[in-house]
Amino acid sequence: MPLPNAPTRRPNNPETRLADQKTSTMLLILGLVFAFIGLGALLLPALIEIPEMAEVLAVTTVVGEVALGLGGVLIAVYAWRRVTAQVKQ
């Protein structure tokens, strides 16, 4: 006996709409947190006046770039979900 086909769409009921809304909000929050961490890691070496500390913190620029990129992607996914949700309505 073959298995039935998998559903292609989620049911449109209050529970799934609330879950989608919570997921979108969490994407935005995580995106902003990663973006702020990335900006902090990139800007902190320029703000430190002690030369030895600035040299040590200069290594964090790669981490800052990755965190800033990840934050940007998460914010873009949030925006894409909002736009597609408005188009469906």
Side-chain angles (χ1 to χ4, degrees):
M1 173 191 274
L3 294 173
N5 293 333
T8 56
R9 299 185 67 193
R10 290 178 63 189
N12 188 11
N13 57 35
E15 292 84 23
T16 58
R17 286 192 299 269
L18 182 62
D20 285 345
Q21 195 175 32
K22 284 182 180 180
T23 303
S24 293
T25 305
M26 197 60 164
L27 281 171
L28 179 63
I29 291 170
L30 282 175
L32 290 174
V33 166
F34 275 111
F36 286 137
I37 289 172
L39 282 174
L42 288 174
L43 297 177
L44 192 60
L47 299 175
I48 299 294
E49 296 180 6
I50 304 170
E52 293 84 14
M53 281 297 281
E55 290 174 9
V56 171
L57 292 175
V59 178
T60 64
T61 57
V62 174
V63 174
E65 291 170 355
V66 170
L68 190 59
L70 182 60
V73 167
L74 289 172
I75 292 170
V77 169
Y78 166 77
W80 178 73
R81 287 174 63 107
R82 287 289 301 248
V83 168
T84 57
Q86 288 176 356
V87 170
K88 290 180 185 177
Q89 291 178 356

